[in-house]
Amino acid sequence: ARQSWGYQDHNGPEVWHELFPLANGDRQSPIAIKSSEVKYDPFLRPLSFSYDLTSPKVILNCGYAFSIECDDTEDRSVLRAGPLKGSYRLRQLHFHWGPTDDYGSEHTVDGLEFAAELHVVHWNSEKYPCFVDAAQQPDGLAIVGVLVKAGEHNSPLQKVINVLDVIKTKGSQVAFTNFDPSSLFPESLDYWTYHGSLTVPPLLESVIWIVLRQPITASSEQLATFRSLLCSAKGEPACCLLSNCRPPQPLRNRHVRAFFH
Ligand SMILES: NS(=O)(=O)c1ccc(C(=O)NCc2cccc(O)c2)cc1
Ligand SMILES: [Zn+2]
């Protein structure tokens, strides 16, 4: 069978459409946010989230990133309000990064690329019975995107970085709990919002994106640790996951709304 997808030339974002035709859809993510073209929407509300420290359960190397997987069998950690109707249950959080500190975010702002990007993934547990079902619906998922720029050491992030050496190879995982995902949020919860998709295959167009305006920082050393993860499994020739960011996709017939003036 054809190689599965990845981030190298032979299986990366430029050829995903061969296996996943949605890649050329009309509400794909990420996008290039142009602040001059966003529209302030007075009906948008402040974001409201409440995360239970014990929701995170494991951290795993899924081959294209590492993700902190949460127990989403009940409504213990939820995101509400903002652009959302109802409440969205926390599922997992993960990062995207690039080969150097000069780029690696997925969303860009006024042409600016950041070093990395955090995605906090939630699904509409009021309307749908599980994540997989919600992922098939236009209002099924809500993902908070946090831009990461190279700079000061990030101490809440260090708790995550400290375990990456234990999940070096694809498919490895380790227990990871007593962690508050909101400890990674910036002080301001100002955001842009638009309707988009998953940024990796299956690229489903089921995401209400909430991109925070204020970036967080991470040190160059912390960012370098991301790149030391392997996309190869144990026993395979080592292949570093140097980059796992998809470039911005056409905006097509979409508008980006701002919560702030
Ligand atoms: N980069 S992203 O935040 O858009 C993102 C979030 C979640 C996922 C994800 O959960 N993928 C696995 C998946 C998705 C839909 C249906 C499935 O059965 C599995 C992928 C990308
Ligand atoms: Zn992501």
Side-chain angles (χ1 to χ4, degrees):
R2 240 188 75 79
Q3 284 271 333
S4 72
W5 59 275
Y7 290 90
Q8 287 150 331
D9 285 347
H10 65 282
N11 64 5
E14 302 318 311
V15 297
W16 285 352
H17 66 90
E18 292 172 10
L19 281 175
F20 303 93
L22 257 183
N24 294 327
D26 55 12
R27 59 171 277 190
Q28 288 290 292
S29 293
I31 59 169
I33 295 168
K34 297 185 177 66
S35 41
S36 62
E37 293 171 14
V38 308
K39 182 162 174 45
Y40 167 67
D41 180 346
F43 295 100
L44 289 173
R45 295 170 292 163
L47 285 176
S48 162
F49 53 83
S50 122
Y51 293 146
D52 179 326
L53 272 179
T54 65
S55 287
K57 291 302 177 196
V58 296
I59 186 166
L60 75 91
N61 176 333
C62 50
Y64 66 82
F66 65 90
S67 70
I68 297 171
E69 300 291 321
C70 301
D71 165 26
D72 64 349
T73 54
E74 48 182 318
D75 258 358
R76 279 189 310 153
S77 293
V78 294
L79 174 69
R80 289 191 183 86
L84 305 171
K85 289 183 183 59
S87 89
Y88 285 66
R89 191 179 293 178
L90 175 67
R91 165 87 173 181
Q92 52 109 323
L93 54 147
H94 63 270
F95 290 83
H96 299 262
W97 58 87
T100 70
D101 291 357
D102 302 327
Y103 74 99
S105 65
E106 298 208 301
H107 291 90
T108 64
V109 181
D110 296 334
L112 254 182
E113 296 172 294
F114 292 80
E117 186 168 329
L118 163 64
H119 289 159
V120 189
V121 182
H122 312 75
W123 57 276
N124 190 332
S125 56
E126 264 185 24
K127 281 179 75 174
Y128 309 113
C130 64
F131 169 83
V132 172
D133 285 15
Q136 313 289 337
Q137 313 297 330
D139 61 349
L141 306 181
I143 303 177
V144 176
V146 184
L147 300 161
V148 184
K149 68 179 189 189
E152 291 294 302
H153 176 84
N154 184 317
S155 44
L157 179 62
Q158 193 55 38
K159 187 172 177 192
V160 176
I161 289 183
N162 286 339
V163 305
L164 295 187
D165 61 324
V166 181
I167 56 163
K168 257 185 115 53
T169 53
K170 176 180 174 181
S172 49
Q173 69 176 52
V174 68
F176 188 86
T177 190
N178 292 317
F179 180 75
D180 176 0
S182 67
S183 66
L184 295 172
F185 287 174
E187 72 198 52
S188 165
L189 293 179
D190 280 349
Y191 64 86
W192 294 287
T193 185
Y194 75 97
H195 290 189
S197 74
L198 298 177
T199 67
V200 309
L203 299 168
L204 298 173
E205 297 184 327
S206 51
V207 183
I208 295 170
W209 274 98
I210 299 164
V211 180
L212 301 190
R213 170 170 61 161
Q214 184 183 3
I216 59 171
T217 66
S219 68
S220 284
E221 293 73 20
Q222 291 181 307
L223 291 161
T225 319
F226 289 178
R227 301 183 198 109
S228 70
L229 281 175
L230 302 180
C231 56
S232 46
K234 199 165 172 345
E236 290 176 354
C239 157
C240 279
L241 187 55
L242 295 174
S243 170
N244 59 359
C245 52
R246 186 191 194 191
Q249 300 301 307
L251 191 58
R252 294 267 161 57
N253 179 30
R254 290 181 286 179
H255 301 283
V256 179
R257 293 179 290 154
F259 164 69
F260 58 93
H261 275 297

